[in-house]
Structure formats: C-alpha cells, structure tokens
Amino acid sequence: MIKPWMFKPLAAVPIVVGSDVTDRASQLAVSYFTTITYNTPANANGTITTVELWPYASNLIAVKVGTFYGSGTSWTNRAYASIGNVTYGSKQTFSGLSIAVNTNDVIGYYNTGGYLEATTSGGSGLGQYSGDAFTGGAKTYDNSLTGYIISLRGTG
C-alpha cells in the first residue's frame, strides 16, 4: 500500500532564458534599438526574478529588459522591467524583478546608450527593432545578426 508520506513534492523547474553572462570577445552597440536574443528560449512558464547582463566599455543608459513571444521576424513584448543605468566592467545582477515568461519566450533589452558584451559567431543570433518595442503590440525585427550571442540572461 502506498502511503502519502512516500511522495515527495515536485520541485519547481528553475526558469532560464538567454545566454551565459560572461566577458566576451566583442561588443554590441545598439542604442535606441530593442534587441532580442534567440539563444536559449525560456524552458518553462513562470516569472523572471533575476536578470544578469555585462556592459562593455561604458555604462548602459535607461535599460529595459523583458520577455517576448512570436516567431520569425514578428515578436511581441510579454512583460518587462525598467532597471535604469547599468555600470560597465563586470557582470551586473538585478534581483527582485517580476517579469512574466512562457515556455519558448526569448529575452531582450532596450537602452539609450552603451555597449553589451557579445560574441559574433557560434550562437542562434539576435533580432533588432529600431526603437523601444516594450509597448504597442507586435513589431517586425531585423534578423541579420546571425550567430551572435550577447551576455544577457533571465532566471526565476
């Protein structure tokens, strides 16, 4: 006979979306663009509570980070947080966030100044939209940065 005490509760699946946040060989300067990364789409539904990124050579200004759903060149913001200015030179971590995410969402960011650590090959690439895509429905993204990886990750 199976007894209730024989069952262990299922552990919550840790949510991961985006790439490892490391000091990379290059940088991506895309001020006034929304950039989404196709590297490591979200593995579960839930909430992103922590975002990590690694600015390169100068502070990132007026940063927003969030999740996006869609495919191809059409992506819509699901949820986001404004994290403000981000100091360059090392991995920066922002906790206590509440950004909704669903399985297969991607993560992206917008800023008005600065650079993000990047690698120009070996990844799934990036999409870019000229402007702030965190409101107003679906946007059309340019997918010409094939192979790129950026140092941006969300977990929850």
Side-chain angles (χ1 to χ4, degrees):
M1 178 180 211
I2 298 175
K3 306 285 183 183
W5 56 266
M6 298 172 132
F7 292 99
K8 292 182 182 178
L10 294 175
V13 174
I15 298 169
V16 177
V17 59
S19 302
D20 289 336
V21 177
T22 63
D23 188 5
R24 298 182 180 275
S26 192
Q27 75 277 345
L28 184 67
V30 289
S31 298
Y32 299 99
F33 278 79
T34 300
T35 301
I36 57 177
T37 177
Y38 302 126
N39 293 288
T40 314
N43 62 328
N45 296 342
T47 305
I48 299 297
T49 57
T50 302
V51 169
E52 299 173 325
L53 39 78
W54 194 314
Y56 172 88
S58 64
N59 294 345
L60 291 173
I61 308 300
V63 177
K64 295 179 182 179
V65 294
T67 55
F68 295 81
Y69 62 94
S71 64
T73 60
S74 181
W75 294 87
T76 303
N77 176 246
R78 181 176 306 284
Y80 74 95
S82 295
I83 58 174
N85 298 340
V86 182
T87 305
Y88 80 96
S90 64
K91 178 169 70 172
Q92 301 297 313
T93 303
F94 297 86
S95 300
L97 304 175
S98 183
I99 304 170
V101 63
N102 285 351
T103 302
N104 293 321
D105 283 0
V106 297
I107 192 167
Y109 79 107
Y110 171 82
N111 68 297
T112 61
Y115 304 85
L116 196 63
E117 292 282 345
T119 303
T120 60
S121 64
S124 299
L126 308 175
Q128 293 187 304
Y129 170 77
S130 180
D132 183 344
F134 284 92
T135 58
K139 306 287 189 241
T140 300
Y141 285 75
D142 174 358
N143 288 331
S144 62
L145 293 175
T146 59
Y148 271 69
I149 305 168
I150 54 175
S151 287
L152 173 65
R153 171 165 277 179
T155 57

